[in-house]
Amino acid sequence: MSSLWLLIVGLAMLAGGYLLYSRFLAGRVYRLDPEFTTPAHELRDGVDFVPTNKYVLWGHHFTSVAGAAPIVGPAVAVIWGWLPAFLWVTLGTVFFAGMHDLGALWASVRNRGRSMGMLSGRYIGARGRNLFLVVIYLLLLMVVAAFAVVIKNLLLSTPSAVIPAWGAIVVALVVGQMIYRWGVSLLLTTVLGVAALYGLILLGDAYPITLPDPVLGMSPATFWILTLFVYAGIASLLPVWVLLQPRDYINGVQLFVGLAILYGATLLSAPDVVAPAVNDQVPAGTPGLLPLLFVTIACGAISGFHGMVSSGTSSKQLDGEDDARFVGYFGAVGEGLLALGAIIAATAGYATLADWQAVYTAFNEGGVAAFVQGGGSIINAGLGIPASLSATILATMAVLFAATTMDTGVRLQRFVVQEIGEVLGLRVGKYLATGIVLVIAVGLTFSAGAGGDGGMRIWPLFGTTNQLLASLTLAIVAVMLMRKGRNPLPALVPLAFVFVMAFWAAILQLGTLRDSGDWLLLGIDVVIILAAVWVGLEAVLAMRDARRRPVETDEDDRRALEDVGS
């Protein structure tokens, strides 16, 4: 089958979701009000609360939620065949992810930019809030530590990505000044920023950088890990407009250029999908499609991490509430487009079925490497771009997206630590909170040795934790809708489906961890399951209570804002 069918049908479904379903959600369910005063204006401080052009904010939001996950998940999940992955990405993006991301953004904006963890205190209860914060912190720890390992491995395996990966920071700093200080038009800034990024990619391809061993008394792996955490800590403390926001925006545009290159090459070369639609000859040891498909592909279908970004940083920068549809829902669509590209690259980027099977010899054998290799082949065949440069483009894309998620993750963890301190009656400053975050994350990353691969130790729990968190976020959104007398079904249907699949996967994982004797992960998994069940039960009680309460108005929201988190 030609990959053109996947591309055309996938694009049509995602476009239809944004043009039709997101309009329904914005107008009939969330009822976005352009006159509502957003936290960015009400609490403007020039550091975290900054009213932002919706296109720039979309770039920040999209690249923060994307990371490497919408590449890794689909490129692994195609081991079960391209059809299940394709259906989950497209339908999940339209009816699950878009609704979830837009809902989390709207809920936080209506509560002065508070995180979903703190909102659970108002809508579910104090016990639910405390457990919610624990799950959020563990999830963010997984993201930060694991993505540091992903970036380190890409910098070591693709030295041509080193110059563009670090040079992008300088580009972002200049872009921030152009937008906020020098008054340069956004269009000109975008063109110059993207041109600079691709100039760095060409430079990196011509001059790959391989670090000596040792470097400053450390192995290259150790050096990259420590450098990444120092960068993430600094980036998380700077005002969002200085680095985080412009870096994410220009990376978002760069990604769409990269996707245009991949999609254009697919249109021109029309490679055949060599992977089976449903693979009935999976390698030995591959887990069953149900329920693992729905936790293997998280980002790209629905992801609890998105709710953390929506309520952690994006809600503090939303200029007008009506911008939430573009930032939240279209941010999810952008990630769906990336996941679609990953599916095409990982299934049509190989000459024969035997070549594809040689890569997919075991579960988790796909991922970024399959995306870079397969996508590079398609770009080379369709556009004639040299294979090495094609690989550099895709590897740089993966590094930049993983880095933006990592620095956003550190910033979000800082917020969570401060919120936990608030619950305990302690005032934790941003520098102390950031230090706590970095010490724990670095400790986990080096827990397996100087190679810095310890960050992957708790990563097996990410999929189930992430999806359980998504269902709990949807529970808060559903309670809000019920209190306002609105239709909760757009939230309840994905909530029920995702919770069942994630809980099923978590229970199966208990057996796997028990058999492997990994008692640390087993204990963490038990804590996560118990916390999710407890919060879920509290949410059910809150939904029952919401049906008995008088319908809340916007004025009720304003009066309750001071009590959020209490």
Side-chain angles (χ1 to χ4, degrees), residues 34-59:
E35 301 301 319
F36 183 82
T37 302
T38 64
H41 289 281
E42 181 188 358
L43 303 173
R44 184 171 187 163
D45 62 5
V47 179
D48 296 315
F49 293 86
V50 180
T52 303
N53 176 286
K54 71 176 183 179
Y55 299 105
V56 176
L57 181 55
W58 170 85

Side-chain angles (χ1 to χ4, degrees), residues 235-321:
S236 70
L237 290 168
L238 289 173
V240 288
W241 66 268
V242 172
L243 177 58
L244 188 67
Q245 194 187 87
R247 173 181 168 86
D248 292 354
Y249 168 67
I250 209 67
N251 282 347
V253 177
Q254 177 261 344
L255 169 74
F256 265 70
V257 174
L259 278 179
I261 292 173
L262 177 60
Y263 287 164
T266 302
L267 287 171
L268 292 174
S269 62
D272 288 334
V273 176
V274 298
V278 177
N279 189 10
D280 56 2
Q281 297 181 345
V282 296
T286 301
L289 184 149
L290 290 176
L292 267 296
L293 171 69
F294 301 101
V295 297
T296 301
I297 301 179
C299 299
I302 183 173
S303 165
F305 178 69
H306 294 198
M308 301 307 98
V309 176
S310 292
S311 64
T313 60
S314 300
S315 63
K316 298 175 175 63
Q317 302 169 58
L318 199 70
D319 186 33
E321 190 178 69

Side-chain angles (χ1 to χ4, degrees), residues 97-351:
M99 193 280 166
H100 170 276
D101 296 10
L102 173 55
L105 184 56
W106 165 76
S108 181
V109 165
R110 287 281 166 162
N111 287 273
R112 303 183 81 184
R114 304 305 293 268
S115 74
M116 299 310 299
M118 295 302 285
L119 289 190
S120 62
R122 176 181 178 189
Y123 294 103
I124 294 180
R127 291 188 300 269
R129 174 199 61 199
N130 298 341
L131 293 169
F132 208 118
L133 287 172
V134 170
V135 176
I136 290 172
Y137 184 83
L138 289 173
L139 178 74
L140 291 173
L141 180 61
M142 294 175 200
V143 169
V144 170
F147 275 32
V149 176
V150 169
I151 300 167
K152 176 262 296 183
N153 289 339
L154 282 168
L155 292 176
L156 292 175
S157 65
T158 315
S160 57
V162 172
I163 288 178
W166 293 105
I169 297 173
V170 179
V171 173
L173 290 170
V174 174
V175 166
Q177 297 298 315
M178 292 173 71
I179 293 174
Y180 288 101
R181 290 287 179 83
W182 303 339
V184 181
S185 73
L186 183 60
L187 178 60
L188 179 59
T189 299
T190 302
V191 171
L192 293 176
V194 172
L197 275 181
Y198 276 90
L200 288 169
I201 289 175
L202 292 173
L203 186 63
D205 189 59
Y207 300 99
I209 293 181
T210 301
L211 295 180
D213 189 4
V215 53
L216 300 179
M218 298 175 282
S219 70
T222 300
F223 175 81
W224 282 135
I225 288 286
L226 291 177
T227 303
L228 284 165
F229 275 113
V230 169
Y231 156 74
I234 294 172
S236 70
L237 290 168
L238 289 173
V240 288
W241 66 268
V242 172
L243 177 58
L244 188 67
Q245 194 187 87
R247 173 181 168 86
D248 292 354
Y249 168 67
I250 209 67
N251 282 347
V253 177
Q254 177 261 344
L255 169 74
F256 265 70
V257 174
L259 278 179
I261 292 173
L262 177 60
Y263 287 164
T266 302
L267 287 171
L268 292 174
S269 62
D272 288 334
V273 176
V274 298
V278 177
N279 189 10
D280 56 2
Q281 297 181 345
V282 296
T286 301
L289 184 149
L290 290 176
L292 267 296
L293 171 69
F294 301 101
V295 297
T296 301
I297 301 179
C299 299
I302 183 173
S303 165
F305 178 69
H306 294 198
M308 301 307 98
V309 176
S310 292
S311 64
T313 60
S314 300
S315 63
K316 298 175 175 63
Q317 302 169 58
L318 199 70
D319 186 33
E321 190 178 69
D322 54 332
D323 290 346
R325 176 181 171 233
F326 182 78
V327 174
Y329 195 99
F330 193 64
V333 169
E335 193 168 73
L337 290 170
L338 180 56
L340 176 63
I343 291 172
I344 292 173
T347 59
Y350 299 90

